[in-house]
Amino acid sequence: MKATRANLLGEFTGKLDGLIYYRSRRTGKLYVRRQWESRNHPAAPQFSSANKAIFALQPSDAYKNNLRDYVMLYNKLPIAAYKTLWTWTNAYSMLMFAMQKAMPGVVDLPTITREQITSQSLPCISVKAAIEAGLLPPVKLYSRFNAVI
């Protein structure tokens, strides 16, 4: 929810009365959200292990830069009004989990390795391959995103 600046808040950011106030660097607006509470869920350990595994792959700097450029172009699409990506890690996670969903018998994220990606030519090998496989929405000039993970 967007917050309007009240006289008593001024440039306040932080926690107050169970709410978190923060200013977006990108938009310059003040936002408010409820404080997050952890809940036990049976899928939490699998999600956590999948995230650890995909970031343990340590994508190359060129791959990260391709994802950063992709995020910038993606946010200009009409679909981004409903689902904005903020950083390259958002796009990376979206790509990897979409690949697991599209290839259920082939890809298991908690056990994925670089060798598996290259030997099986998985679509996450480059951003261009992921877009062509339908894991990410296409953006203009995506053919230049060919850096290998």
Side-chain angles (χ1 to χ4, degrees):
M1 132 168 63
K2 291 181 189 175
T4 57
R5 197 175 95 184
N7 289 336
L8 77 117
L9 286 178
E11 292 299 315
F12 176 75
T13 58
K15 299 176 183 178
L16 179 66
D17 296 332
L19 297 174
I20 298 174
Y21 297 83
Y22 61 97
R23 183 167 302 283
S24 169
R25 291 182 188 157
R26 195 166 83 185
T27 63
K29 294 182 180 178
L30 182 67
Y31 292 92
V32 178
R33 64 178 173 87
R34 278 188 232 112
Q35 193 162 350
W36 181 77
E37 295 178 14
S38 175
R39 296 187 186 123
N40 289 333
H41 191 274
Q46 292 92 353
F47 181 74
S48 175
S49 62
N51 268 327
K52 286 178 185 173
I54 63 175
F55 285 100
L57 294 173
Q58 296 181 341
S60 67
D61 288 335
Y63 190 81
K64 291 178 190 177
N65 287 334
N66 281 350
L67 284 170
R68 285 183 186 106
D69 293 341
Y70 175 82
V71 166
M72 188 175 61
L73 294 171
Y74 171 85
N75 286 334
K76 293 179 182 178
L77 295 175
I79 194 172
Y82 303 107
K83 188 174 182 181
T84 303
L85 297 176
W86 294 93
T87 63
W88 72 269
T89 57
N90 296 138
Y92 183 60
S93 294
M94 186 169 82
L95 178 149
M96 295 303 261
F97 282 98
M99 182 177 66
Q100 180 179 1
K101 187 175 181 180
M103 307 170 92
V106 178
V107 177
D108 182 36
L109 287 185
T111 60
I112 195 165
T113 61
R114 245 179 213 277
E115 291 78 28
Q116 179 186 5
I117 292 170
T118 55
S119 67
Q120 295 179 357
S121 296
L122 295 177
C124 68
I125 199 160
S126 71
V127 179
K128 177 185 174 186
I131 292 171
E132 289 172 349
L135 302 179
L136 294 173
V139 295
K140 290 184 180 178
L141 302 173
Y142 73 85
S143 59
R144 64 187 171 113
F145 300 142
N146 55 7
V148 178
I149 194 168

